[in-house]
Amino acid sequence: MTLRVLTGITTTGTLHLGNYVGAVRRAIAASREPGVESFFFMADYHALIKCDEPARIEASRLQIAATWLAAGLDTSRVVFYRQSDIPEIPELTWLLTCVTSKGQMNRAHAYKASVDANVAAGEDPDAGITMGLYSYPILMAADILMFNAHRVPVGKDQVQHIEMARDVAQRFNHLFGGGQDFFVLPEASIDEEMELLPGLDGRKMSKSYDNVIPLFEGGAKALREAISRIVTDSRLPGEPKETEGSHLVQIYDAFATPAQRQAFRAALHGGLSWGEAKEQLFALIDAEIGPMRARYDALMANPEKIEEILMAGAQRARAIAAPLLARARESVGLRRFQPLAAPVAQAVKAKSTVPAFKQYREADGLFYFKLLAADGTLLLQSTGLSQGKEAGQWVSRLKREGAAALAEAPVSREAGDDVLLPALEALLAAEQEAAAAKG
Ligand code: TRP
């Protein structure tokens, strides 16, 4: 099974050197690993939630696309596209919106933070809050579920959104999966060691701190100028410098080989001036990004080239998205007209009041099962089992023996006995009924 890795970049603003080290360079390296199928896209619908300036939206998506391509994204390996070129995504968003609980969206951090800020300012709690912001996590769930991604590399602030995507997927699977899992349940991957590049003043590099080193913008001149503004201590040329805890050294390290790191430290301990050290730092960074900057400038001068690459990416993405959406429409009942299979009343009644087992496989390769109440509430959750057969055997045993098999089964109880026991009872009854019907 190839692992599907998917991530989106909201296209507001441009990328700085910290984004390059922390996200772009790593993602490109990861996409070259064997056995991985990568999807990278520009979340330009998400950008509209944060920005109502068309010119900025236009510039940012072009600049960010050019940045990724210039940095070496291999579009023959990676499916690279703009979210807004995939009409299936907003369509799936609606299907998901209809199974997403409003209460859960009320708890989304980004929305809550805006409400809290309004309340603190004595404003109406919803002042300035759009439905776009409110529904942001559902659009993001559609981005991920559309391609059945297993793994989603994101920053810590996005983890809640991935959990919401899992919940929405689970709910959809339960309601419309017909006993099978329609959507893969995605997992966030946050790299604990994620290199966070410090900014000019030593705090995390961020536009909001106004301490960024630009990546391509302004050319080599702007890069040199920003580096000259890195804050250091006031030791004079010739004086030994402290390298431990120096953010200038930390930035150097992000671009250096182990041998270069050692030599740089030795030179500083030996009295290298900060000015000279900054010259060396500039040379080091420019050696890596200079050639990319040349490609970036060439791409920015030929936007139609980027357009072509992205349209090809969209075509590949839609070849996956369109069949999935067609199945999703079908499964919710948006079907081609045909003679109805069964009288509707009966079909509605047949909609089960009995709990149901679900069996599935996770990205960890293990087999799981769980018991869901008729309304989708989780009642039992198994541990991961190495054999699919084993999961199947436990499911049939729990069906046949009900609560009696509970003590031995590799499951955790997710509901109180007052809910769990009647559910198992109902299951047992249904099983016996089915057996009797078969004769
Ligand atoms: N919300 C993400 C961010 O701000 C961007 C994003 C949109 C995304 N859709 C996504 C990330 C899907 C991963 C998967 O960083």
Side-chain angles (χ1 to χ4, degrees), residues 257-268:
T257 63
Q260 287 172 317
R261 290 178 197 178
Q262 224 178 359
F264 193 57
R265 281 169 172 70
L268 283 165

Side-chain angles (χ1 to χ4, degrees), residues 20-21 34 75 77 79 94 101 139 158 160 169 174 192 226 231 276 288 296 367 419 432:
Y20 169 74
V21 169
T75 52
R77 298 205 49 160
V79 185
W94 182 252
S101 85
L139 176 57
Q158 297 293 315
Q160 187 196 32
H174 175 72
E192 292 303 341
V231 178
E276 186 52 38
E288 180 167 329
Y296 178 82
F367 297 87
V419 181
Q432 284 161 354

Side-chain angles (χ1 to χ4, degrees), residues 251-261 284 288:
I251 298 171
Y252 187 92
D253 285 352
F255 292 87
T257 63
Q260 287 172 317
R261 290 178 197 178
L284 181 73
E288 180 167 329

Side-chain angles (χ1 to χ4, degrees), residues 363-418:
D364 61 10
L366 297 177
F367 297 87
Y368 292 80
F369 65 88
K370 63 193 172 192
L371 179 64
L372 298 169
D375 67 356
T377 314
L378 183 64
L379 301 175
L380 290 177
Q381 172 65 59
S382 81
T383 55
L385 302 167
S386 57
Q387 301 294 325
K389 217 168 82 191
E390 207 184 333
Q393 283 164 350
W394 276 115
V395 167
S396 15
R397 208 176 134 192
L398 283 160
K399 280 184 184 167
R400 271 184 282 114
E401 299 175 19
L406 209 51
E408 279 173 48
V411 292
S412 62
R413 298 170 178 227
E414 303 290 333
D417 281 355
D418 54 325

Side-chain angles (χ1 to χ4, degrees), residues 23-358:
V24 179
R25 191 171 65 179
R26 286 156 34 90
I28 290 176
S31 73
R32 296 209 173 110
E33 281 169 28
V36 172
E37 198 181 354
S38 293
F39 293 72
F40 290 161
F41 68 96
M42 275 160 287
D44 48 4
Y45 278 143
H46 280 105
L48 294 180
I49 294 168
K50 301 180 183 167
C51 174
D52 58 9
E53 298 164 58
R56 271 192 58 188
I57 295 282
E58 179 188 23
S60 172
R61 61 213 278 278
L62 177 65
Q63 287 163 336
I64 290 180
T67 300
W68 280 82
L69 292 171
L73 188 74
D74 178 355
T75 52
S76 69
R77 298 205 49 160
V78 175
V79 185
F80 184 52
Y81 55 97
R82 285 173 295 215
Q83 182 187 35
S84 64
D85 284 332
I86 318 295
E88 288 80 8
I89 290 175
E91 209 174 326
L92 180 62
T93 300
W94 182 252
L95 301 189
L96 299 179
T97 300
C98 294
V99 299
T100 302
S101 85
K102 175 172 176 287
Q104 190 178 28
M105 294 300 102
N106 290 342
R107 290 189 288 277
H109 298 320
Y111 167 70
K112 260 181 27 190
S114 301
V115 170
D116 291 348
N118 280 335
V119 170
E123 303 245 20
D124 182 272
D126 277 331
I129 296 178
T130 63
M131 284 307 294
L133 176 66
Y134 192 66
S135 305
Y136 184 110
I138 315 178
L139 176 57
M140 188 159 156
D143 289 333
I144 297 168
L145 303 181
M146 186 92 256
F147 299 98
N148 275 327
H150 301 100
R151 188 162 300 167
V152 186
V154 283
K156 284 206 184 74
D157 61 323
Q158 297 293 315
V159 171
Q160 187 196 32
H161 293 150
I162 312 297
E163 279 159 12
M164 289 175 160
R166 279 177 78 88
D167 285 342
V168 172
Q170 222 153 3
R171 182 110 188 101
F172 192 97
N173 285 350
H174 175 72
L175 289 169
F176 306 116
Q180 297 208 305
D181 279 345
F182 194 94
F183 290 120
V184 166
L185 305 186
E187 268 171 44
S189 92
I190 355 164
D191 196 330
E192 292 303 341
E193 291 164 84
M194 166 127 154
E195 294 175 84
L196 267 188
L197 205 64
L200 298 176
D201 55 0
R203 291 185 292 174
K204 169 187 167 203
M205 190 180 289
S206 162
K207 288 232 168 77
S208 43
Y209 295 151
D210 195 20
N211 64 356
V212 306
I213 299 176
L215 179 55
F216 298 141
E217 265 156 296
K221 188 158 165 280
L223 178 64
R224 173 177 263 127
E225 195 275 325
I227 289 172
S228 76
R229 286 189 292 118
I230 296 176
V231 178
T232 61
D233 64 30
S234 50
R235 294 208 183 123
L236 299 171
E239 273 187 80
K241 311 289 184 295
E242 177 59 83
T243 52
E244 189 62 33
S246 153
H247 56 277
L248 186 145
V249 173
Q250 220 178 317
I251 298 171
Y252 187 92
D253 285 352
F255 292 87
T257 63
Q260 287 172 317
R261 290 178 197 178
Q262 224 178 359
F264 193 57
R265 281 169 172 70
L268 283 165
H269 294 153
L272 182 75
S273 73
W274 285 124
E276 186 52 38
K278 286 177 177 179
E279 262 315 305
Q280 290 188 16
L281 174 60
F282 166 75
L284 181 73
I285 297 179
D286 204 51
E288 180 167 329
I289 70 168
M292 296 177 186
R293 187 190 304 117
R295 286 198 291 272
Y296 178 82
D297 291 342
L299 285 163
M300 289 300 288
N302 289 288
E304 72 287 348
K305 250 210 171 123
I306 310 179
E307 185 71 33
E308 204 178 295
I309 292 171
L310 288 169
M311 289 321 283
Q315 205 172 12
R316 284 169 69 196
R318 293 190 70 190
I320 299 169
L324 183 132
L325 181 71
R327 287 198 294 123
R329 291 175 57 102
E330 176 78 22
S331 60
V332 301
L334 302 177
R335 301 172 186 158
R336 247 187 105 81
F337 282 174
Q338 59 186 347
L340 296 176
V344 173
Q346 204 179 322
V348 169
K349 187 160 160 268
K351 179 153 178 157
S352 150
T353 53
V354 177
F357 278 103
K358 289 273 143 74

